[in-house]
């Protein structure tokens, strides 16, 4: 069979049920194979949309996403999703077309050095050099993408090789001598960690995106005693936000309680988190009293930013049950945490997340998220873009389950939200999928509304429209003497008309009194819906750790 | 140092002080890799991204034809090179990395020197070569080419001595290294 037909067999063997892509000259053979391969292909309107859709699919389902693009511009358009997937450890396989081998390096039409361009932002990449290599390369790509610390893998396929006739035999053995991730965690280290935890008087569990597939195990550990839990923006939902041991998100726009608890903790158990600068704030004054247990599958994260006293390398889902068992066996005295909880409760009472509501019908952006939480009964998959709306959504939409909150945390990619929501909905057709976006972010991949309309992908987009690139405006207001430089978007375009032009339903909401009901209606309207919610233009995200400050100096 | 996103103006001195990675402590890093396209680029890219300057680089086969050895030397860093070696380990085609301890390591480099040697000073140049056990591998009317093997320091010393005669050009391989005794490199 042709190498591209073998490619289809490989995708099926990997359990791929959907791919997102856009054809072009160099991947014509691949698209010919898709014609009757029986794999669902969703035609996106821009490769970046396809890449983010594959990410949204992967983040919502936990399975490997697949995105395709042609050579040259098709591949360069995928660069942002590839980098985004790298930063947030999202398992995605990117299949790019490449010019035929005799044109390689000659500046052929639509030629780009895809492997070279993407090298620093992939978990792994390979250009097929011989058609017989293709099946193994595909299976290795999936294996590498999904195991260890997940991430993006690029497979670049020259068009002539993809048409070669090759014998195909299923491949079941993958052997990569240079890739043997440590997944189990060292028992001695686990015992040490349990002991440290049992002796701690002010412990905090700090959980990141690496706990999304260890949610039950994380909850079990935390509730085996009264261990307080905070999550990063990537980890929201790994521990139920409705649980009394939940401190809220931590970091730059986290709760005071979570940040103060980190600041005063004597032991921090970091699980699948990487001490990002948005979490530590001023690194030299981060958690000054704490010892650190650091559990992560990636050894390069251990002691990268904060030296770990007890490092444990492996999957959280493998390590946490054993840590819980060791901890229980020590029969720690639960009353030693009384004083700590007393202090935590006093912060929670003094510093709840709050804002000043309008006295008229004006919609405050925070209220917009609360209204959406109410209208969707807190049970939606929420995809967000990047900016103020992202932080408000993270603060005010409470996630009780993992994989319900999908955002671009590491790279902070505006334009991520709509295509990610599209991918999440395709992966979870039964779920209500909403996209909370800003008027700035939404315009960076609006074209995917056409994909949603054409394929009946039922996403509900709620635009927090304040007519500004709001987060930049906030920083200019607070730290640059209110010199608003190039942040006013003038509330263009008319999103209702735009939605209609794309074949979606468009709505505009301006009154907070009817907001919940109006949103409910939007949610039950069939097909993709775009809701232009006009909100207070100059609201700021608080609380906030100002740049260069330690967490204890939070403002607002 | 200035905080990102704030309007504080940074002085050039501060920036330069913070950007200085060099300490002078030399590292010899030996890396075994699968013999696949692009491996070398991935490795050098990781060093470049973190501001390390690779001084020398040597690549060659090993006793296993599917495996190559890359030996590179670096001027050390304020931060340890641990972070880079951990990142190197994450490359799929990298099999093994050793940050070699200079005192436990035999390191050798080969160099070719083309030296001006017309009549008058030829004998003197040849004498220096003899002291350094350099082999003369080519002679012409005005020049000779000397091949010298040794540690980086020995080759540096040879260079200093022959330079006054007129050094036409020079080529060096960069060091390769292997551990002393039975321990594997």
């Amino acid at each position: 069979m042709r190498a591209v037909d073998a490619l289809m067999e490989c995708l099926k063997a990997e359990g791929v049920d959907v791919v997102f892509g856009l054809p072009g000259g160099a991947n014509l053979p691949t698209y010919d194979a898709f014609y009757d391969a029986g794999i669902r292909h969703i035609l996106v309107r821009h490769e970046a949309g396809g890449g983010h859709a594959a990410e949204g699919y992967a983040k919502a389902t936990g399975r490997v996403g697949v995105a395709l693009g042609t050579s040259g511009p098709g591949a360069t358009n995928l660069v942002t999703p590839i980098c985004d997937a790298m930063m947030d450890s999202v398992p995605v396989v990117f299949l790019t077309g490449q010019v035929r081998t005799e044109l390689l390096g000659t500046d052929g039409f639509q030629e780009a050095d895809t492997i070279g361009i993407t090298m620093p932002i992939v978990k792994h990449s390979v250009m097929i050099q011989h058609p017989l290599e293709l099946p193994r390369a595909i299976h290795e790509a999936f294996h590498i993408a999904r195991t260890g610390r997940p991430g993006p893998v690029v497979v670049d396929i020259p068009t002539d090789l993809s048409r070669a006739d090759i014998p195909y035999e299923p491949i079941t053995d993958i052997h990569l001598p240079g890739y043997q991730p440590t997944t189990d965690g060292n028992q001695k280290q686990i015992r040490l960690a349990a002991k440290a935890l049992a002796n701690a008087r002010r412990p905090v569990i700090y959980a990141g995106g690496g706990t999304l597939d260890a949610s039950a195990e994380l909850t079990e550990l935390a509730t085996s005693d009264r261990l307080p839990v905070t999550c990063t923006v990537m980890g929201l939902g790994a521990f139920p936000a409705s649980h009394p041991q939940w401190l809220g998100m931590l970091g730059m726009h986290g709760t005071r309680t979570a940040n103060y608890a980190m600041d005063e903790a004597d032991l921090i158990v970091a699980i699948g988190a990487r001490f990002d600068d948005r979490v530590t704030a001023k690194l030299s004054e981060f958690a000054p009293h704490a010892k650190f247990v650091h559990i992560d599958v990636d050894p390069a994260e251990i002691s990268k930013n904060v030296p770990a006293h007890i490092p444990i390398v492996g999957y959280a889902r493998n390590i946490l049950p054993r840590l819980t068992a060791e901890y229980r066996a020590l029969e720690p005295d639960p009353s030693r945490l009384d004083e700590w909880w007393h202090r935590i409760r006093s912060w929670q009472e003094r510093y709840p997340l709050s804002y000043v509501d309008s006295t008229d019908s004006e919609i405050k952006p925070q209220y917009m998220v609360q209204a959406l939480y109410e209208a969707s009964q807190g049970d939606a998959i929420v995809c967000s873009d990047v900016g103020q709306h992202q932080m408000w959504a993270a603060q005010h939409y409470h996630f009780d389950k993992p994989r319900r909150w999908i955002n671009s945390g590491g790279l902070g990619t505006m334009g991520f939200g709509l295509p990610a929501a599209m991918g999440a909905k395709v992966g979870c057709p039964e779920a209500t999928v909403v996209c909370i976006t800003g008027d700035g972010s939404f315009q960076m991949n609006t074209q995917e509304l056409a994909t949603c309309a054409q394929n009946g992908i039922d996403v509900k987009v709620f635009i927090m429209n304040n007519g500004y690139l709001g987060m930049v405006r906030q920083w200019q207001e607070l730290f640059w003497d209110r010199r608003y430089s190039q942040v006013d978007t003038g509330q263009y375009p008319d999103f209702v008309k735009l939605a209609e032009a794309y074949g979606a339903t468009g709505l505009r909401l301006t009154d907070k009194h009817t907001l919940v009901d109006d949103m409910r209606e939007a949610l039950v309207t069939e097909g993709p819906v775009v809701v232009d919610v006009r909100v207070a233009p100059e609201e700021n995200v608080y609380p906030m750790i100002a740049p260069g400050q330690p967490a204890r100096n939070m403002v607002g | 140092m200035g905080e990102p996103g704030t309007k504080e103006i940074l002085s050039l001195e501060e920036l330069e002080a913070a950007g200085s990675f060099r300490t002078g402590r030399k590292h010899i890093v030996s890396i075994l890799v699968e013999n696949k396209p692009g491996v070398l680029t991935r490795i050098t890219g990781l060093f470049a991204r973190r501001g390390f300057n690779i001084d020398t680089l040597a690549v060659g086969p090993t006793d296993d034809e599917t495996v190559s050895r890359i030996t590179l030397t670096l001027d050390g860093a304020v931060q340890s090179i641990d972070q880079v070696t951990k990142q190197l380990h994450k490359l799929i085609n990298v099999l093994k990395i050793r940050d070699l301890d200079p005192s436990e390591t035999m390191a050798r480099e080969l160099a070719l020197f083309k030296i001006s040697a017309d009549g008058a000073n030829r004998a003197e140049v040849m004498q220096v070569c003899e002291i350094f056990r350099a082999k003369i591998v080519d002679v012409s009317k005005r020049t000779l080419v000397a091949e010298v093997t040794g540690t980086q320091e020995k080759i540096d010393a040879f260079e200093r001595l022959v330079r006054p005669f007129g050094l036409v050009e020079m080529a060096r391989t960069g060091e390769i290294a292997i551990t002393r005794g039975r321990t594997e490199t």
Side-chain angles (χ1 to χ4, degrees):
Chain A
M1 62 176 70
R2 294 176 303 179
V4 284
D5 298 314
L7 167 63
M8 297 299 132
E9 294 307 313
C10 296
L11 295 179
K12 285 189 235 172
E14 290 291 344
V16 172
D17 54 4
V18 63
V19 302
F20 302 88
L22 196 84
N27 61 6
L28 270 168
T30 311
Y31 275 84
D32 186 68
F34 270 121
Y35 189 77
D36 48 13
I39 296 171
R40 186 176 180 199
H41 179 285
I42 291 176
L43 171 64
V44 296
R45 296 302 188 266
H46 187 292
E47 290 85 352
H52 292 313
E55 283 190 274
Y57 172 91
K59 284 185 170 189
T61 63
R63 298 196 292 269
V64 179
V66 180
L68 281 89
T70 189
S71 64
T76 56
N77 281 342
L78 284 171
V79 168
T80 301
I82 292 169
C83 192
D84 194 271
M86 186 67 171
M87 292 288 271
D88 285 352
S89 309
V90 192
V92 180
V93 170
F94 293 88
L95 302 172
T96 51
Q98 184 52 276
V99 299
R100 61 181 193 271
T101 42
E102 66 183 46
L103 280 181
L104 282 172
T106 66
D107 302 326
F109 176 65
Q110 292 198 323
E111 183 189 3
D113 176 6
T114 304
I115 296 294
I117 290 168
T118 59
M119 198 169 274
I121 52 170
V122 295
K123 182 171 177 189
H124 190 54
S125 58
V126 61
M127 188 207 271
I128 302 299
Q129 314 264 331
H130 190 285
L132 287 174
E133 293 171 9
L134 183 67
R136 181 166 294 280
I138 297 297
H139 289 300
E140 286 178 355
F142 277 84
H143 175 71
I144 291 167
R146 81 159 72 86
T147 54
R149 178 178 182 171
V153 180
V154 172
V155 183
D156 199 28
I157 311 172
T159 183
D160 52 337
L161 304 188
S162 65
R163 279 181 296 154
D165 186 25
I166 61 167
Y168 170 69
E169 269 181 50
I171 286 166
T172 49
D173 62 311
I174 297 285
H175 178 62
L176 294 162
Y179 177 69
Q180 316 267 341
T182 308
T183 55
D184 281 346
N186 181 298
Q187 189 65 31
K188 230 168 81 186
Q189 294 291 95
I190 293 173
R191 201 165 300 144
L192 279 177
K195 225 164 139 184
L197 202 46
N199 288 325
R201 303 186 76 84
R202 296 188 307 281
V204 176
I205 294 177
Y206 149 51
T211 59
L212 290 177
D213 59 357
S215 171
E217 294 85 348
L218 170 68
T219 309
E220 183 71 17
L221 170 68
T223 55
S224 66
D225 203 337
R226 285 175 303 152
L227 303 172
V229 182
T230 179
C231 283
T232 67
V233 76
M234 296 308 302
L236 293 178
F239 187 79
S242 56
H243 197 282
Q245 283 162 238
W246 172 242
L247 306 182
M249 179 175 79
L250 84 169
M252 182 171 275
H253 293 296
T255 64
R256 274 195 148 85
T257 303
N259 284 318
Y260 289 176
M262 294 289 280
D263 187 55
E264 292 192 11
D266 64 354
L267 183 79
I268 288 171
V269 182
I271 311 169
R274 59 183 176 87
F275 296 92
D276 178 74
D277 54 82
R278 285 295 187 268
V279 160
T280 62
K282 188 176 186 182
L283 191 59
S284 59
E285 293 184 39
F286 173 65
H289 314 289
K291 295 223 176 234
F292 295 93
V293 174
H294 194 174
I295 301 171
D296 204 291
V297 74
D298 180 359
E301 286 303 336
I302 306 280
S303 300
K304 183 180 81 178
N305 296 335
V306 172
H309 300 89
I310 307 174
I312 309 175
V313 176
Y315 287 137
R317 60 174 181 271
N318 290 349
I319 292 165
L320 295 183
R322 282 147 64 205
L323 179 56
T324 308
E326 293 280 354
Y327 179 73
R328 281 206 174 111
L330 294 168
E331 295 180 9
D333 171 16
S335 69
R336 77 190 192 291
L337 301 176
D338 287 350
E339 208 176 306
W340 186 223
W341 273 109
H342 184 71
R343 187 134 179 83
I344 290 170
R345 294 289 178 231
S346 74
W347 288 324
Q348 286 175 325
E349 273 158 38
R350 267 183 77 184
Y351 308 112
L353 280 174
S354 65
Y355 61 95
V356 182
D357 201 1
S358 61
T359 49
D360 50 14
S361 61
E362 187 183 46
I363 300 168
K364 284 292 181 93
Q366 300 92 331
Y367 178 68
M368 173 183 156
V369 178
Q370 291 174 336
L372 186 58
Y373 181 76
E374 199 180 326
S376 61
Q377 297 171 307
D379 199 30
I381 293 178
V382 178
C383 300
S384 115
D385 255 300
V386 169
Q388 285 185 312
H389 66 272
Q390 176 191 23
M391 291 298 107
W392 280 315
Q395 289 177 338
H396 295 281
Y397 201 103
H398 307 293
F399 298 94
D400 275 344
K401 293 181 202 156
R403 304 197 181 282
R404 293 301 179 95
W405 164 244
I406 291 167
N407 82 134
S408 166
L411 194 62
T413 307
M414 290 171 69
F416 172 85
L418 173 63
M422 184 168 88
K425 182 66 186 179
V426 169
C428 306
E430 303 303 321
T432 302
V433 176
V434 305
C435 170
I436 299 181
T437 181
D439 50 308
S441 286
F442 183 62
Q443 292 183 65
M444 291 206 188
N445 269 321
T446 318
Q447 78 285 343
E448 296 313 326
L449 272 182
T451 312
C452 293
Q454 185 189 5
N455 294 283
I457 302 169
D458 202 351
V459 299
K460 313 299 180 194
V461 181
F462 293 86
I463 304 172
M464 196 178 269
N465 189 349
N466 56 13
Y468 278 117
L469 300 172
M471 190 58 98
V472 181
R473 187 207 56 74
Q474 175 172 343
W475 281 59
Q476 288 177 346
E477 177 190 331
L478 298 178
F479 309 116
W480 296 80
D481 303 332
R482 284 180 175 268
R483 286 153 60 95
Y484 288 177
S485 181
Q486 304 300 320
V487 288
D488 184 350
T489 57
Q491 291 194 318
Y492 285 95
D494 180 331
F495 290 114
V496 173
K497 282 187 183 158
L498 187 72
E500 285 165 359
Y502 272 117
T505 305
L507 299 166
R508 179 165 296 119
L509 304 181
T510 54
D511 185 348
K512 81 171 180 199
H513 299 112
T514 58
L515 188 59
V516 175
D517 286 340
D518 293 341
M519 283 178 157
R520 236 177 241 138
E521 207 171 303
L523 288 171
V524 297
T525 303
E526 214 168 300
V529 179
V530 176
V531 188
D532 177 17
V533 186
R534 298 293 171 96
V535 298
E538 295 203 21
E539 192 73 12
N540 288 335
V541 183
Y542 287 121
M544 177 177 195
I545 307 174
Q549 296 293 319
R552 79 186 78 92
N553 296 353
M554 279 198 102
V555 293
Chain B
M1 265 285 285
E3 295 310 328
T6 63
K7 55 180 202 150
E8 181 189 347
I9 293 171
L10 305 179
S11 79
L12 271 180
E13 290 75 21
E14 259 185 315
L15 272 178
E16 281 163 6
S20 165
F21 292 110
R22 289 168 158 257
T23 59
R25 150 119 158 74
K26 178 181 152 185
H27 288 271
I28 304 174
V29 185
S30 176
I31 308 167
L32 287 179
V33 299
E34 287 182 282
N35 199 351
K36 297 228 166 126
V39 181
L40 185 62
T41 318
R42 286 177 209 274
I43 289 171
T44 52
L46 273 183
F47 282 99
R49 183 177 168 200
R50 284 163 185 79
F52 289 102
N53 202 5
I54 295 172
D55 280 339
T56 71
L57 175 71
V59 189
T62 62
D63 48 311
D64 178 345
E65 63 179 71
T66 65
V67 175
S68 303
R69 185 186 299 283
I70 297 174
T71 309
L72 49 84
T73 63
L74 304 165
D75 254 354
V78 173
Q79 334 136 303
S80 77
I81 70 165
D82 282 6
Q83 184 46 226
V84 192
T85 52
K86 281 179 175 175
Q87 295 292 343
L88 285 174
H89 268 294
K90 287 170 66 172
L91 297 177
I92 309 294
N93 302 131
V94 169
L95 301 171
K96 193 176 169 191
I97 302 152
R98 284 277 307 260
D99 178 10
L100 296 170
D101 178 349
S103 68
E104 300 292 318
T105 304
M106 298 295 299
R108 289 291 181 271
E109 182 174 7
L110 184 143
L112 297 170
F113 290 87
K114 189 177 287 177
I115 308 158
S116 298
D118 43 4
N121 60 20
R122 176 159 296 191
E124 214 178 325
V125 172
M126 287 172 70
Q127 213 173 6
V128 174
C129 288
E130 201 172 319
I131 294 166
F132 278 82
R133 298 206 182 119
K135 255 196 293 186
I136 290 158
V137 291
D138 180 71
V139 184
S140 72
K141 222 165 163 185
R142 297 221 172 86
T143 63
L144 58 79
V145 175
E147 172 195 316
V148 49
T149 318
T151 61
Q152 219 168 22
E153 293 73 28
K154 175 179 163 184
I155 291 168
D156 290 345
F158 183 79
E159 184 196 330
R160 277 196 302 276
L161 281 174
V162 297
R163 193 174 275 282
F165 299 116
L167 185 53
V168 182
E169 57 185 349
M170 150 181 118
R172 297 173 66 157
T173 59
E175 279 183 312
I176 55 166
I178 207 156
T179 51
R180 291 174 190 273
R182 280 189 64 101
T183 37
E184 260 183 55
T185 307

